[in-house]
């Protein structure tokens, strides 16, 4: 039997990008992951498909596991020979009860590793532009739990002493007792007009903050409606220039955006939207599927050197062509040295470059009509043209080239299939701020996946489309197009 072990992994404060490299490796190889709430859904996608994922937190219809049950589950997993990861918010040892888990595991002779995480105590202020120490302003920071009632005599927290320490005070779990804590600190000698701030759900799309004097902070928190999880920071660093709040200046912070692209292709759009501060809801409406090879595909692969013009209309078409070539024992050398290679847009050109082929022509408008415009000066009469494409692609391009005398061969290499969307994702998508579409086929699939709830999309989220063809498909489906990208590509969107 293999020997089990347990790794405690700090998940960081919420922004999935703040997981450590070692934490990621551990998640990728775990057999069993026991995770807390605190916005870790994104991180669980790193786990193996066959890993068992167990939530230790409260969920609808289920109570949270007790610490004892968690300890028992970790021991049982490791003793069954499994690699167990215990994923905890922030840092496992900062108010995370990680110490108790290590104590239990070591007591049972189980091998333990601890991967520190970025604690919310420093990350939430950092995203709000507040350094916890600053030369000439604060030479220390103290992280304290606000869980203990400062009006009770028997607490472990010496609020008087904390009031007298001149540095920064960072309060976790303090929202429920913020008034009593403020009173205790002022009574202990903190100036009532000392700067303070509260940061809710720091580093996440739900990040919000307020700044006020220590005296006024509880009222400002109530006015703004901030609630847990949140940290409170008290000290002169909270009075530094509010313009340092870089994260809060992101244009889409607090906005939710639905990405309907196929999951395999969503990552660039998703990453760019997140970088703008948006909460991204991936609700893939389509899936790209390679089609089984046909005799035409086999012939085209053999005769590839005879084509004088090859027009790639999508990155999927590029992959499909090179997959087909590879299965016939070929590679980029199969193209005629003198052939003109056209990519319909920069993403297609980039994919070609990955396969070692440089596009000679990239049109200014990234639609089929744009390709035709880009080829106006190209002699086409009697020339052999190959178009690797999606099944049921619009015939505009092939017809336009034939009209100019070209001998056109289209190759259907892949198809887009409608993907069912889960009810929970439909709910989130219909209440989001923006709905993005990157192809007409995605619009049709998305609307059909909505079924009888399609009407809710009409005056629901604002629709943003990648270009005119997609916009037309959206209007045909009864949607109102709020904005259209220009240029018609992902950066434009
Ligand atoms: N181990 C965690 C803390 C667990 S205690 C860490 O190192 O961050 C839970 C408390 O952490 C919450 O009540 C809140 O005060 C704070 N917290 C956790 N995530 C937060 C976030 N994203 N923004 C603000 N506070 C957060």
């Amino acid at each position: 039997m293999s020997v089990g072990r347990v790794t405690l992994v700090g998940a960081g404060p919420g922004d999935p990008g703040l997981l450590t490299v070692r934490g990621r490796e551990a998640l990728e190889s775990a057999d069993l992951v026991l995770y807390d709430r605190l916005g870790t859904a994104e991180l669980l996608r790193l786990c193996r498909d066959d890993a068992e994922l167990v939530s230790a937190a409260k969920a609808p219809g289920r109570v949270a596991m007790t610490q004892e049950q968690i300890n028992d589950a970790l021991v049982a997993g490791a003793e069954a020979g499994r690699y167990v990861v215990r994923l905890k918010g922030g840092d496992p040892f900062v108010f995370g009860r990680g110490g108790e888990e290590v104590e239990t595991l070591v007591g049972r002779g189980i091998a333990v590793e601890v991967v520190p995480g970025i604690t919310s105590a420093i990350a939430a202020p950092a995203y709000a532009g507040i350094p916890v120490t600053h030369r000439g302003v604060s030479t220390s920071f103290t992280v304290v739990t606000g869980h203990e009632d400062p009006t009770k005599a028997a607490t472990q927290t010496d609020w008087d002493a904390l009031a007298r320490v001149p540095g920064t005070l960072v309060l976790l779990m303090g929202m429920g007792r913020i008034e009593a804590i403020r009173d205790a600190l002022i009574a202990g000698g903190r100036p009532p007009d000392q700067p303070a701030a509260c940061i809710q759900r720091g580093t996440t799309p739900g990040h919000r903050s307020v700044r006020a004097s220590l005296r006024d902070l509880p009222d400002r928190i109530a006015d703004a409606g901030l609630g847990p999880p949140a940290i409170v920071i008290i000290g002169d660093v909270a009075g530094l220039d509010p313009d340092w709040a870089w994260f809060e200046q992101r244009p889409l912070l607090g906005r939710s955006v639905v990405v309907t692209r196929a999951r395999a292709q969503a990552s660039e759009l998703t990453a760019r939207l997140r970088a703008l501060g948006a909460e991204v809801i991936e609700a893939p409406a389509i899936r790209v599927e390679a089609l089984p090879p046909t005799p035409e595909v086999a012939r085209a692969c053999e005769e590839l050197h005879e084509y004088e013009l090859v027009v790639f209309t999508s990155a999927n078409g590029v992959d499909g062509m090179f997959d087909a070539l590879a299965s016939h024992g070929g590679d980029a050398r199969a193209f005629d040295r003198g052939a003109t290679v056209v990519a319909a847009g920069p993403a297609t050109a980039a994919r070609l470059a990955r396969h070692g082929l440089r596009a000679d022509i990239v049109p200014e408008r990234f639609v089929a009509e744009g390709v035709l415009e880009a080829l106006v000066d190209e002699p086409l009469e009697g020339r052999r043209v190959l178009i690797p494409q999606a099944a049921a692609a619009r015939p505009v391009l092939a017809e336009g080239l034939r009209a100019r005398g070209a001998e056109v061969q289209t190759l259907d290499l892949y198809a887009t299939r409608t993907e069912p969307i889960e009810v929970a994702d439909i709910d989130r998508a219909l209440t989001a701020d923006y709905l993005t579409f990157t192809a007409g086929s995605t619009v049709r699939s998305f609307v059909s996946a909505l079924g009888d709830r399609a009407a809710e999309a009409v005056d629901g989220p604002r629709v943003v489309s990648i270009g005119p063809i997609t916009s037309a498909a959206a209007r045909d489906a009864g949607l109102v197009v709020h904005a259209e990208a220009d240029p018609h590509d992902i950066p434009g969107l």
Side-chain angles (χ1 to χ4, degrees):
M1 194 183 84
S2 64
V3 182
R5 61 202 168 94
V6 178
T7 299
L8 272 59
V9 173
D15 178 344
L18 295 181
L19 178 73
T20 63
V21 174
R22 178 64 201 123
R24 180 187 178 128
E25 286 169 358
L27 279 175
E28 284 170 348
S29 45
D31 299 313
L32 167 66
V33 178
L34 210 69
Y35 62 95
D36 286 341
R37 194 160 30 113
L38 294 171
T40 45
E42 195 64 34
L43 302 182
L44 295 177
R45 286 225 203 113
L46 297 170
C47 300
R48 295 191 334 241
D49 286 342
D50 64 340
E52 185 187 353
L53 309 180
V54 177
S55 167
K58 251 205 307 258
R62 209 171 59 79
V63 292
M65 289 170 81
T66 63
Q67 188 60 49
E68 206 177 2
Q69 288 170 327
I70 293 171
N71 293 349
D72 289 349
L74 296 177
V75 168
E79 287 186 344
R82 304 169 87 188
Y83 179 36
V84 184
V85 163
R86 171 76 176 112
L87 185 64
K88 305 168 78 76
D91 179 84
F93 283 174
V94 176
F95 305 123
R97 305 192 71 171
E100 293 161 62
E101 293 168 6
V102 169
E103 182 181 29
T104 304
L105 294 164
V106 170
R108 298 290 288 253
I110 292 166
V112 175
E113 176 189 1
V114 180
V115 181
I118 298 182
T119 178
S120 60
I122 56 167
Y127 275 48
I130 302 173
V132 287
T133 69
H134 191 63
R135 210 173 148 80
V137 177
S138 170
T139 58
S140 72
F141 64 97
T142 308
V143 181
V144 62
T145 169
H147 210 63
E148 299 204 317
D149 188 346
T151 60
K152 288 229 177 79
T155 73
Q156 291 181 52
T157 314
D158 185 342
W159 292 100
D160 266 352
L162 290 170
R164 286 196 307 275
V165 176
T168 308
L169 200 59
V170 183
L171 197 64
L172 271 63
M173 297 178 279
M175 296 297 270
R177 300 185 200 280
I178 186 64
E179 289 177 348
I181 290 168
R182 170 202 54 194
D183 294 346
L185 289 171
I186 292 177
R190 284 260 171 171
D193 60 356
Q194 183 163 75
C198 175
I199 303 144
Q200 163 196 287
R201 295 185 57 200
T203 81
T204 75
H207 176 115
R208 285 175 66 209
S209 73
V210 295
R211 295 181 183 222
S213 64
L214 173 57
R215 184 199 317 108
D216 296 341
L217 190 69
D219 285 347
R220 295 291 86 77
I221 290 174
D223 293 345
L226 300 192
I231 67 141
V232 167
I233 180 160
I234 299 158
D236 290 329
V237 289
L240 292 167
D241 191 344
D243 280 351
W244 296 3
W246 60 275
F247 186 66
E248 297 174 6
Q249 289 153 12
R250 295 196 165 177
L252 291 179
L253 186 66
R255 305 297 173 87
S256 50
V257 183
V258 184
V259 171
T260 54
R261 268 197 131 186
R263 196 174 305 277
Q265 292 174 300
S267 58
E268 191 198 353
L269 181 56
T270 296
R272 281 177 177 264
L273 288 167
R274 288 217 173 104
L276 291 170
E279 174 183 11
V280 177
I281 299 156
E282 284 191 2
I286 58 162
R287 161 171 57 86
V288 175
E289 205 174 85
L291 293 176
T294 58
E296 281 98 76
V297 173
R299 197 166 342 106
C301 286
E302 271 152 34
E303 299 173 355
L304 202 52
H305 56 277
E306 290 173 19
Y307 286 94
E308 295 153 278
L309 188 70
V310 187
V311 184
F312 291 94
T313 55
S314 71
N316 288 322
V318 173
D319 287 345
M321 188 70 235
F322 278 90
D323 286 349
L325 257 183
S327 67
H328 287 84
D331 58 24
R333 289 170 295 182
F335 290 91
D336 175 60
R337 283 172 58 115
T340 303
V341 176
V342 183
T348 309
R351 190 64 61 91
L352 276 172
R354 280 228 301 254
H355 290 281
L357 218 55
R358 200 170 48 80
D360 300 298
I361 298 175
V362 182
E364 278 169 24
R365 293 201 305 138
F366 313 142
V367 290
E369 290 80 354
V371 174
L372 291 172
E373 283 161 20
L375 293 173
V376 280
D377 295 331
E378 204 74 17
L380 292 174
E381 187 63 47
R383 290 179 78 190
R384 292 190 69 182
V385 179
L386 185 69
I387 311 178
Q389 62 176 20
R394 292 191 310 136
V396 179
L397 184 58
E399 283 170 5
L401 295 172
R402 279 191 193 113
R404 291 181 47 198
E407 201 183 302
V408 179
Q409 170 75 57
T410 57
L411 284 188
D412 292 354
L413 294 175
Y414 66 96
T416 54
R417 307 265 185 236
T418 299
E419 187 85 297
I421 306 176
E422 285 178 27
V423 176
D425 288 334
I426 290 182
D427 288 339
R428 290 174 74 210
L430 288 172
T431 53
D433 294 303
Y434 296 99
L435 201 51
T436 62
F437 290 111
T438 52
S441 57
T442 324
V443 176
R444 289 183 288 275
S445 295
F446 184 77
V447 171
S448 93
L450 291 181
D452 51 15
R453 297 189 62 188
E456 291 174 53
V458 176
D459 45 21
R462 292 173 162 182
V463 172
V464 183
S465 113
I466 199 166
I469 310 301
T470 306
S471 296
R475 290 191 192 101
D476 283 349
L479 301 176
V480 178
V481 178
H482 174 73
E484 184 178 287
D486 184 17
H488 316 315
D489 57 8
I490 296 295
L493 191 64

